[in-house]
Amino acid sequence: MKLKFLGAAEEVGRSCIMVEYEGTRIIMDAGVKIGEEDAYPLLEAADIGSIDGVVISHAHLDHSAYLPHMVSNGYSKPIYSTKPTFELVGILVSDYLKISEPKDVSKDAMAKMLGQFKIVEYQKEFRIGSIGVRLLPAGHILGSAMIELTCGGERLLYSGDVNFRNTKLLEAGYTDNLDAGILVMESTYGGNGDTFPSEHATINGMMASIKETLSAGGKVIMPTFGVGRAQEMLLLLDDYMKSGLLPKAPIYMDGMVNKAMGIHRHNVVYCREELKNRILLNDDDPFKSKNFVKVETAKQRRGIISGEEPCIIVTTSGMLTGGPVLKYVKSLAKVPEDKIIFVGYQAEGTLGRELVNGAKEILIDESRVDVKFKVEKYHLSAHADRQQLLQFVSKVKNLKKVFIIHGEKRKSREFREAIGGKYTTEIPMLGQEVTI
Ligand SMILES: [Zn+2]
Ligand SMILES: [Zn+2]
């Protein structure tokens, strides 16, 4: 078996691993590293035609956005994923193409790409040439999967992005009966000190803070990723409001949050048992809660901004790199009674990071904005923390070798130290090829 790490090596972004076995060549994930200048996997155009299948772990752009590039460069074979991943790729990747306008992507790439998808179910093995493939629930976002490959007598497990805690939406990632000699795993939060406090305490603290702002007549802006965190937050807010722990106020959903909400609703069979039962047995559908109000026009948005009413606004983008959130922040940043609450990672160089770091003045659309509103950040992650990642490693039977990817250099190294000497561990370099 031959492995080639084409991205996400000593970095987070552009996940892409080529696997070759007995004349079959497949790719696991085809992501783009989104940044001031996007970075692509090291996949030679000449190699694209020789690939027999692509398997996508989940819809996040760092795992899926390179697909239209591949299709434009001649990839015409199947792309395998779960049903929710296929649907979420549809909205996330088309949004990426609109914003990034990559030059090597043809106009019809999106439609072609969607046509090449083949939906596969969790747990059911399928074959791409000489390689057996199985997707296992990863608990990270709707439809997310770990990818298990069987190459003759050797088995490889690729974690994709994983979370091993139950969330409002999803069951924890699958850890029963994992059996693989080779593990390729993420290490986003594998560093020293990456042990998360109890999510319950964090959520309670955040809700108390929201309550304080609403009770004082203020507005709360919650910038999030459109897919995953946003739905998680919305269901939490709705629960707290219904139980009286938060005062009644409209929860506005703006941007991609809306479309993604629809996809979550009709894929509820992929959600957590508890949520499924609530909807299917008790007719209690939190996705259709009266507390949620869709924002569909610029006029409606202006009305919310200038209105007196306390409210919560859940909108994209999560790091303030674009999207409707900027319209809200531009006006509401000046209001000391209002508040912005970050619930996700804020990358270096983003406006989100500037605010979290305490900026007193920010630049939006070339105009200076005084920062008077309160800025808070809560750690709620869709990734496993260091402890859970270590537990995950220990649950894989017959494990011999671990490749650590999808993490900042320092974190991957610290995680490797933490695993210790029980297995052979490697942090592959970008472009590195390994024969096993
Ligand atoms: Zn992800
Ligand atoms: Zn990722």
Side-chain angles (χ1 to χ4, degrees), residues 57-63 140-141 144 160-162 186 225 382-383 406:
S57 69
H58 67 288
H60 280 152
L61 295 176
D62 59 323
H63 299 256
H140 171 62
I141 62 166
S144 62
D161 291 357
V162 277
E186 66 130 317
F225 257 159
H383 287 268
H406 198 291

Side-chain angles (χ1 to χ4, degrees), residues 371-390:
V371 178
K372 296 270 172 59
F373 63 178
K374 296 173 200 76
V375 180
E376 289 178 7
K377 183 175 185 320
Y378 293 87
H379 188 92
L380 290 166
S381 176
H383 287 268
D385 69 357
R386 182 214 217 6
Q387 223 40 49
Q388 291 175 333
L389 288 173
L390 287 171

Side-chain angles (χ1 to χ4, degrees), residues 121-400:
E121 285 300 326
Y122 284 129
Q123 308 279 6
K124 290 217 174 95
E125 197 183 31
F126 59 98
R127 296 199 74 78
I128 308 174
S130 55
I131 303 177
V133 188
R134 219 159 54 110
L135 302 185
L136 303 170
H140 171 62
I141 62 166
L142 187 72
S144 62
M146 299 188 247
I147 304 171
E148 183 198 80
L149 303 181
T150 306
C151 302
E154 190 70 89
R155 199 174 280 150
L156 177 148
L157 180 68
Y158 164 51
S159 70
D161 291 357
V162 277
N163 187 9
F164 297 110
R165 272 160 306 166
N166 288 325
T167 65
K168 203 98 216 120
L169 282 172
L170 301 174
E171 221 69 69
Y174 178 89
T175 52
D176 304 337
N177 261 326
L178 295 174
D179 189 334
I182 306 152
L183 176 64
V184 179
M185 67 180 297
E186 66 130 317
S187 56
T188 320
Y189 291 106
N192 297 340
D194 281 339
T195 300
F196 303 155
S198 122
E199 188 138 287
H200 188 70
T202 308
I203 291 168
N204 279 341
M206 180 177 79
M207 292 299 172
S209 166
I210 295 173
K211 183 178 177 183
E212 180 192 77
T213 300
L214 294 178
S215 305
K219 298 183 175 73
V220 178
I221 311 173
M222 299 185 81
T224 66
F225 257 159
V227 171
R229 282 291 93 179
Q231 287 70 37
E232 192 76 37
M233 283 304 117
L234 286 162
L235 296 198
L236 275 171
L237 290 167
D238 183 52
D239 267 6
Y240 271 71
M241 227 170 248
K242 278 181 181 153
S243 62
L245 293 166
L246 275 183
K248 280 258 177 241
I251 303 169
Y252 292 109
M253 312 186 294
D254 199 346
M256 196 196 285
V257 180
N258 287 326
K259 270 192 203 159
M261 199 72 168
I263 292 179
H264 278 73
R265 173 61 187 88
H266 72 249
N267 282 296
V268 77
V269 290
Y270 292 90
C271 290
R272 200 177 165 184
E273 208 62 32
E274 196 184 281
L275 187 60
K276 245 187 291 190
N277 291 343
R278 233 174 109 175
I279 297 176
L280 303 175
L281 304 177
N282 301 329
D283 211 13
D284 167 22
D285 189 343
F287 290 102
K288 292 183 183 155
S289 168
K290 289 200 170 63
N291 292 323
F292 300 142
V293 185
K294 282 186 192 175
V295 181
E296 284 162 318
T297 63
K299 189 175 165 217
Q300 192 186 358
R301 196 177 293 137
R302 284 196 297 274
I304 296 164
I305 291 170
S306 59
E308 295 285 306
E309 191 183 30
C311 62
I312 303 170
I313 303 146
V314 178
T315 182
T316 51
S317 72
M319 298 192 280
L320 271 55
T321 47
V325 70
L326 293 179
K327 302 263 186 290
Y328 294 99
V329 170
K330 200 172 174 182
S331 300
L332 303 182
K334 301 161 196 156
V335 186
E337 290 75 26
D338 293 344
K339 189 177 275 174
I340 187 163
I341 292 186
F342 292 98
V343 288
Y345 176 71
Q346 301 301 312
E348 199 78 59
T350 60
L351 196 55
R353 179 71 154 254
E354 270 182 59
L355 281 174
V356 169
N357 285 347
K360 289 282 162 258
E361 192 186 75
I362 49 174
L363 209 58
I364 299 179
D365 302 334
E366 285 163 21
S367 47
R368 288 180 190 288
V369 180
D370 282 337
V371 178
K372 296 270 172 59
F373 63 178
K374 296 173 200 76
V375 180
E376 289 178 7
K377 183 175 185 320
Y378 293 87
H379 188 92
L380 290 166
S381 176
H383 287 268
D385 69 357
R386 182 214 217 6
Q387 223 40 49
Q388 291 175 333
L389 288 173
L390 287 171
Q391 260 171 32
F392 169 59
V393 174
S394 72
K395 281 186 179 160
V396 183
K397 284 180 220 137
N398 297 312
L399 184 61
K400 295 186 295 267

